[in-house]
Amino acid sequence: MKNLRITVNGTAYDVQVEELGESAAPAAPAAAPAAKPAAPAAKPAAPAGAKGSVEVKAPMPGTVVNVVVNPGNAVKAGDDLVFIEAMKMETPVKAPQDGTVATVEVSKGEAVDSGKVLVTLN
Protein backbone atom coordinates (compact mmCIF):
# COMPACT_ATOMS: atom_id res chain seq x y z
CA MET A 1 0.00 0.00 0.00
CA LYS A 2 1.18 3.50 -0.79
CA ASN A 3 -0.07 6.62 0.91
CA LEU A 4 -0.64 9.45 -1.56
CA ARG A 5 -2.00 12.98 -1.23
CA ILE A 6 -4.37 14.10 -3.99
CA THR A 7 -5.55 17.70 -4.32
CA VAL A 8 -8.94 18.29 -5.95
CA ASN A 9 -10.15 21.87 -6.36
CA GLY A 10 -7.75 23.05 -3.66
CA THR A 11 -8.78 20.40 -1.09
CA ALA A 12 -6.13 17.83 -0.16
CA TYR A 13 -7.10 14.19 0.39
CA ASP A 14 -4.88 11.39 1.71
CA VAL A 15 -5.53 8.07 -0.02
CA GLN A 16 -4.07 4.59 0.15
CA VAL A 17 -3.34 2.88 -3.15
CA GLU A 18 -2.42 -0.77 -3.57
CA GLU A 19 0.22 -1.55 -6.19
CA LEU A 20 -0.70 -4.64 -8.20
CA GLY A 21 2.40 -4.89 -10.37
CA GLU A 22 5.85 -3.43 -10.66
CA SER A 23 6.24 -0.38 -12.87
CA ALA A 24 8.28 2.80 -12.88
CA ALA A 25 5.20 5.03 -13.25
CA PRO A 26 4.01 4.95 -9.58
CA ALA A 27 7.47 5.96 -8.33
CA ALA A 28 7.25 9.45 -9.88
CA PRO A 29 3.87 10.45 -8.32
CA ALA A 30 5.05 9.21 -4.92
CA ALA A 31 7.92 11.70 -4.96
CA ALA A 32 5.66 14.68 -5.72
CA PRO A 33 3.34 14.26 -2.68
CA ALA A 34 6.34 13.81 -0.41
CA ALA A 35 7.57 17.29 -1.31
CA LYS A 36 4.11 18.88 -0.99
CA PRO A 37 3.44 17.97 2.69
CA ALA A 38 6.65 19.77 3.67
CA ALA A 39 4.90 23.13 3.35
CA PRO A 40 2.00 22.30 5.73
CA ALA A 41 4.45 20.70 8.16
CA ALA A 42 6.18 24.06 8.57
CA LYS A 43 2.97 25.60 9.96
CA PRO A 44 2.74 23.43 13.13
CA ALA A 45 6.51 23.58 13.62
CA ALA A 46 6.25 27.08 15.12
CA PRO A 47 4.87 25.96 18.53
CA ALA A 48 7.30 23.03 18.74
CA GLY A 49 8.81 24.28 21.99
CA ALA A 50 5.46 23.99 23.77
CA LYS A 51 4.47 20.71 22.14
CA GLY A 52 3.40 17.88 24.41
CA SER A 53 4.82 14.38 24.37
CA VAL A 54 1.56 12.65 23.31
CA GLU A 55 0.33 13.48 19.81
CA VAL A 56 -3.37 12.97 19.07
CA LYS A 57 -3.75 12.55 15.31
CA ALA A 58 -6.66 12.69 12.88
CA PRO A 59 -7.97 9.18 12.21
CA MET A 60 -9.23 10.20 8.74
CA PRO A 61 -9.21 13.15 6.36
CA GLY A 62 -12.02 15.62 6.94
CA THR A 63 -12.93 19.07 8.22
CA VAL A 64 -12.61 20.21 11.83
CA VAL A 65 -16.12 21.20 12.92
CA ASN A 66 -15.44 21.79 16.62
CA VAL A 67 -12.45 22.10 18.94
CA VAL A 68 -13.60 21.53 22.53
CA VAL A 69 -10.30 21.96 24.39
CA ASN A 70 -7.75 24.72 24.90
CA PRO A 71 -4.10 24.59 25.96
CA GLY A 72 -3.91 24.07 29.70
CA ASN A 73 -7.15 22.08 29.97
CA ALA A 74 -6.96 18.86 31.99
CA VAL A 75 -8.47 15.87 30.17
CA LYS A 76 -9.26 12.29 31.10
CA ALA A 77 -8.88 9.28 28.81
CA GLY A 78 -11.90 9.19 26.49
CA ASP A 79 -12.73 12.91 26.73
CA ASP A 80 -13.66 14.57 23.42
CA LEU A 81 -10.92 16.85 22.06
CA VAL A 82 -11.91 17.65 18.46
CA PHE A 83 -14.78 16.74 16.12
CA ILE A 84 -14.01 15.96 12.47
CA GLU A 85 -16.63 15.77 9.74
CA ALA A 86 -16.04 13.29 6.95
CA MET A 87 -18.70 12.16 4.48
CA LYS A 88 -21.38 14.13 6.38
CA MET A 89 -20.65 12.28 9.63
CA GLU A 90 -19.11 13.90 12.70
CA THR A 91 -16.49 11.81 14.46
CA PRO A 92 -15.14 12.72 17.90
CA VAL A 93 -11.40 12.44 18.42
CA LYS A 94 -10.88 11.41 22.03
CA ALA A 95 -8.01 11.72 24.50
CA PRO A 96 -6.03 8.45 24.55
CA GLN A 97 -4.99 8.98 28.19
CA ASP A 98 -5.27 11.40 31.09
CA GLY A 99 -3.20 14.55 30.72
CA THR A 100 -3.06 18.28 30.12
CA VAL A 101 -3.55 19.84 26.70
CA ALA A 102 -0.19 21.29 25.63
CA THR A 103 -1.10 22.56 22.15
CA VAL A 104 -4.09 22.68 19.82
CA GLU A 105 -2.73 22.42 16.27
CA VAL A 106 -6.01 22.95 14.35
CA SER A 107 -8.91 25.36 14.23
CA LYS A 108 -12.59 25.11 13.34
CA GLY A 109 -13.16 24.88 9.59
CA GLU A 110 -9.66 23.60 8.81
CA ALA A 111 -9.30 20.68 6.40
CA VAL A 112 -7.08 17.96 7.86
CA ASP A 113 -5.46 14.87 6.42
CA SER A 114 -5.34 11.48 8.04
CA GLY A 115 -2.48 11.42 10.53
CA LYS A 116 -2.37 15.20 11.03
CA VAL A 117 -1.55 16.14 14.62
CA LEU A 118 -4.65 17.77 16.12
CA VAL A 119 -3.71 18.14 19.79
CA THR A 120 -0.69 17.36 21.93
CA LEU A 121 -0.91 16.30 25.57
CA ASN A 122 1.51 16.22 28.48
Side-chain angles (χ1 to χ4, degrees):
M1 295 292 265
K2 280 193 170 201
N3 292 321
L4 300 174
R5 177 165 293 145
I6 298 173
T7 303
V8 179
N9 295 330
T11 303
Y13 299 94
D14 281 348
V15 295
Q16 290 184 341
V17 180
E18 181 177 358
E19 288 186 67
L20 298 176
E22 291 186 41
S23 83
K36 200 169 190 179
K43 181 179 162 187
K51 221 171 207 182
S53 58
V54 177
E55 294 181 335
V56 181
K57 298 179 180 182
M60 68 193 84
T63 302
V64 176
V65 292
N66 197 7
V67 178
V68 295
V69 294
N70 292 306
N73 290 146
V75 294
K76 300 263 185 208
D79 285 354
D80 294 336
L81 303 174
V82 175
F83 286 85
I84 296 176
E85 180 182 295
M87 296 174 52
K88 301 199 183 223
M89 292 178 53
E90 285 187 21
T91 302
V93 179
K94 298 181 177 285
Q97 63 187 47
D98 295 354
T100 303
V101 176
T103 61
V104 177
E105 303 287 329
V106 294
S107 57
K108 185 176 179 178
E110 183 177 340
V112 296
D113 294 321
S114 181
K116 160 97 169 117
V117 175
L118 305 172
V119 175
T120 62
L121 304 174
N122 284 323

